[in-house]
Amino acid sequence: MAKRSVATMALPLFLSIFISIFLISITCFQEERSIYLVLLEGNGVAFHEGLCDGDSSRIDPNSEASKARANHLLASHDLLLQSTLDKGGYNKLHSFKHIINGFSVHTTPSKAKKLKGVPGVKLVAKDRGAKKMTTYTPDFLNLPKGIWAEEGGVKNAGEGVVIGFVDTGINPHHPSFAYNPLHPFNSSPSPFRGECQSGPMFPDTSCTGKIVSARYFSAGVEAATTLNASVDFLSPFDADGHGSHVASIAAGNAGVPVVVNGLFYGRSSGMAPRARIAVYKAVYPTAGTEADVIAAIDQAVMDGVDIINLSIGPNEPPEDTLTFLGLFEISLLFARKAGVFVVEAAGNKGPAPSSVMSFSPWSVSVGACNTDRKYHASLHLGNSQTIDGVGLSGPSLLALFKLVLAKDAMKTNGTFPRTPEYIEECQHPEALDPKIVLGSVVICNFSAGFSNGTSTLAAIVDTTKALGFEGFILAANPTYGDYVGQPIPFAISGILIPRVADAQVLLQYYEEHTKRDERGTAIEFGAVAAVGEGRIASFTGRSPVVSRFSSRGPNIIDKDKDPADVLKPDVLAPGHQIWGAWSPMSVTAPELRGDNFAIISGTSMAVPHVAGIAALIKQYNPSWDPSMIASAITTTSTKYDNLGELIMAEGYGINTLYPSTPFDYGAGIVNPNWARDPGLVLPSGFADYIRFLCSVPNVDKGKVNATTGEQCHNPFDYPFNLNLPSVTISALRGSASVRRTVMNVGNYTETYIGSVLPPNGTIVNLCPTLFTISPQGKQELEIKLTVIQPTQNFSFGQIVLIGNLNHIVRITLSVLPVSVH
């Protein structure tokens, strides 16, 4: 909040009101000002004749000649404005002096039009603005006006709840995790008890209140491999960035400025910005082991966390047992038994079916989707064509520059290998002729190195800086097809062209304007291009859309991918192009090195959204157990997008969409404001999960006893009778009766009426369809499903319970009708 001046605060009330009205009456008759960018003739300091040989990296900005040129430009800008516009009619904001010659000015449209007619003015363009958008997802999920407001605003959201993050550690120096002594926490989180383990890059002072505990687990990884002491710190410090990113999404402080490469992108906030953070580092840049992860989960439960966030975990199903009986899943079962809400990543193996990597009904599996925020980058060609691309990059000086294909700039007498990374991927500056590429926009190809992961964008950026490119392009290669480009912030102008069709348009234009000799060597470069502004977001289009990488159902019970009677993923949350805190070391993502924030994608990013939302629900309903929180989140989710249509999902091809199903989105996109007060929940406990395990087809009951310590005395008739907030039947033959029990968690007696949308090939009868339920009361529902037409694939439906106090409860139905008998 902005501070009012002392003078204004001292004014009598009537005088303040009078001045306000007077100022409003005047401004009503004035043009509204905007920011305009003005480009002038003449070079900036870096390219001014006599100061350099054309290589801007060799300019000394503190030299007397450079200072003289800069002062001359500054004076010329001021003189142009003073001689063209009336005093008081404008406010110059910046003078661009080093790489371009121009300025930005805050003025009216009519005065901007006047500037366009001044000799020496090349361009006047209106600034399109940069909306505050980081972390945009609280607004996308409507938290500020919803559950945050209900819990006392952002300054109280998540108070008293501890989220444990089993991940790559945390960057304790980041402002997202700073403790503000002017806004102390209300009390110590009880009964939490942790420890702050110090070590390299993680001093004793790292746990100051926001971070209440920090531990690391390395015995497994130290046994499995040789660690690199320069990056694999034996401390809770995050050298990777992943753990810091995840923690900030769930519980990062509110209102943290996000600045990358000098540009302010907005202010960040976690879903539950007043929740406490407990860190359990179990994955290292070099490697990670399931043993360390399970040890971390075990310790987190012992410490007393309320929620465990698992954005990491095994990447394959167990080899020699049912998915539900793997030790990782069993550790989560006991976390649930201890009253800890566990939320996991669905996995990043989509869009293949049965690719989900979170299996058990006692944890919540989260798929990833986009938001309506999109960054649009563009490449402008000399023939007036524009090609869309990806990249958070500033424009290349508002002008067109020579376009050069990297392999046409290769040194002919170099001793380097003639491999793709040298001749076309811009990985090694020594392979390119600096006289050709200096001041040019260089086309680098997506080739073998990028396909196998040995080449990096960071190397392209380094080459660009070393040789003085004006900008770079990473163009798709027909040999390798379209690739997925992410909007990575670049400190220099650059753009990714991930579609082969667009790359071919670019290369056709290039070849048409490039002269070659009889040997095919480029001898004249006539093509020109400019990288456009790529850092401005738009907030239009369809959302949410299930992300391509998000793992899909149906859930599986074994490595042979036999389907399970449990819906996965459970729910959908934003996980595509999400801003979050980062570690400047960025060991595994060199293109983000030095940045304090990063925009990345994955179901890893979707998980902390749900973890933070669970913290808000826990704060509002402290007596709820994990199954009640899970039920509230899923039964209040929606399967419709912002256009009022069924959520779509990305397919294998770039920009391909198909109508999604619950195997893509689970119950739907999470709605935290409805989840806080769901009306009804479907609770289940540890004994119910044992009954479920004992009812899984072909289960070894001795193994259930061995892994859980419990006997199979009272299994369910079928595993689908576990009291989940969904019904999944992987092989329905004839008919089946399914039972569900709902509990009223509201404060008032409510009457519900039920309706059914049956899956194709079935009829579904619900009994009762009308019932009245008192607070804390329970009601059993019988759901009879009968096959009327066998199908080859699963079909989907839902049961909807609508209460007279405006509660709406949805139970998703997923059924494979196999036979009528």
Side-chain angles (χ1 to χ4, degrees), residues 524-576:
E524 289 185 17
F525 300 92
V528 291
V531 177
E533 174 64 70
R535 300 169 297 183
I536 307 301
S538 65
F539 296 84
T540 58
R542 182 187 296 272
S543 66
V545 173
V546 181
S547 301
R548 177 181 298 101
F549 56 79
S550 186
S551 288
R552 312 298 211 259
N555 193 10
I556 59 175
I557 62 173
D558 53 34
K559 65 178 181 179
D560 296 326
K561 295 192 174 183
D562 293 316
D565 293 334
V566 176
L567 178 63
K568 293 290 174 179
D570 292 276
V571 73
L572 195 66
H576 184 70

Side-chain angles (χ1 to χ4, degrees), residues 168-247:
T168 64
I170 199 165
N171 174 11
H173 315 295
H174 199 282
S176 290
F177 314 122
Y179 173 68
N180 182 0
L182 299 179
H183 186 206
F185 291 97
N186 292 339
S187 61
S188 297
S190 179
F192 181 82
R193 56 210 171 275
E195 179 183 340
C196 194
Q197 294 180 335
S198 60
M201 306 291 291
F202 206 88
D204 293 334
T205 56
S206 298
C207 301
T208 58
K210 177 66 174 177
I211 301 174
V212 292
S213 179
R215 304 176 186 269
Y216 67 95
F217 302 82
S218 62
V221 72
E222 287 187 272
T225 189
T226 300
L227 297 182
N228 181 346
S230 65
V231 295
D232 297 313
F233 299 115
L234 297 183
S235 78
F237 180 75
D238 179 18
D240 179 277
H242 186 274
S244 301
H245 197 276
V246 166

Side-chain angles (χ1 to χ4, degrees), residues 509-521:
Y509 164 73
Y510 174 78
E511 290 297 336
E512 289 173 352
H513 294 81
T514 300
K515 186 176 180 180
R516 300 181 182 275
D517 61 19
E518 63 278 3
R519 295 173 299 175
T521 303

Side-chain angles (χ1 to χ4, degrees), residues 633-652:
I633 289 173
T634 53
T635 59
T636 57
S637 297
T638 178
K639 61 181 181 179
Y640 296 100
D641 63 21
N642 61 345
L643 303 180
E645 300 175 358
L646 183 71
I647 292 172
M648 301 293 284
E650 292 182 330
Y652 284 101

Side-chain angles (χ1 to χ4, degrees), residues 42 45 161 176 208 325 327 341 423 450 464 493 547 608 615 698 772:
V45 174
V161 180
S176 290
T208 58
L325 291 177
L327 188 54
F341 180 85
I423 64 177
F450 284 101
T464 300
S493 292
S547 301
N698 302 317
T772 299

